Amino acid sequence: MKIAAIQMVSAPDLATNLAIAKRLIDQAASDGAQLVSLPEYFVQMGLHETDKFQIAEEFGQGPMQEMLAFKARQHDIWVAGGSIPIKTQDPAKVTNTALLFNPEGEVVARYDKMILSSCYSANLS
């Protein structure tokens, strides 16, 4: 199995980061990668600790997860989505979540990073 570990410098803007990740996934797949792994928090290099709340998604929906699922299906590859912010029941917290997508674009594994999850809270009042 050929594996691609993508390196990228993330920006504060989600759309920019998703566009870069798409291009890098496409390139890795065209080079024969069967598993593409993105870096932790590839979706944002926030300027403030609370920036992640602006882009956090519900599990199973949203542009970050949709892009990862689409690229897995498009290229018939496995995609390890680095990590992205996922909303929790507590609106003042998000999880730092790594998702693994199979070639059908389905999430087959989820890991919520426990060590940092307590750090990813903010006073949103």
Side-chain angles (χ1 to χ4, degrees):
M1 174 181 274
K2 188 170 184 180
I3 300 170
I6 291 179
Q7 297 283 340
M8 60 184 275
V9 178
S10 297
D13 179 62
L14 174 61
T16 299
N17 295 326
L18 290 179
I20 292 168
K22 286 179 192 177
R23 180 179 52 81
L24 294 171
I25 292 169
D26 292 343
Q27 181 180 346
S30 71
D31 288 343
Q34 297 165 291
L35 167 64
V36 176
S37 180
L38 291 157
E40 182 175 18
Y41 255 80
F42 74 96
V43 294
Q44 183 182 63
M45 180 55 72
L47 300 175
H48 305 285
E49 182 63 24
T50 57
D51 288 351
K52 66 183 90 12
F53 292 95
Q54 303 303 314
I55 66 166
E57 297 179 347
E58 295 286 341
F59 176 64
Q61 59 187 12
M64 294 178 275
Q65 295 167 84
E66 290 167 8
M67 183 278 288
L68 296 168
F70 175 77
K71 287 298 173 184
R73 283 190 309 273
Q74 178 186 22
H75 296 295
D76 194 32
I77 60 173
W78 292 81
V79 176
S83 66
I84 61 174
I86 297 291
K87 293 178 181 179
T88 68
Q89 291 181 345
D90 181 346
K93 291 186 179 182
V94 298
T95 58
N96 182 5
T97 300
L99 300 172
L100 178 64
F101 294 82
N102 68 15
E104 289 77 39
E106 303 164 329
V107 173
V108 294
R110 173 182 175 167
Y111 175 71
D112 295 330
K113 195 168 188 177
M114 301 303 260
I115 298 169
L116 295 179
S117 62
S118 63
C119 298
Y120 286 8
S121 61
N123 182 356
L124 300 178
S125 55

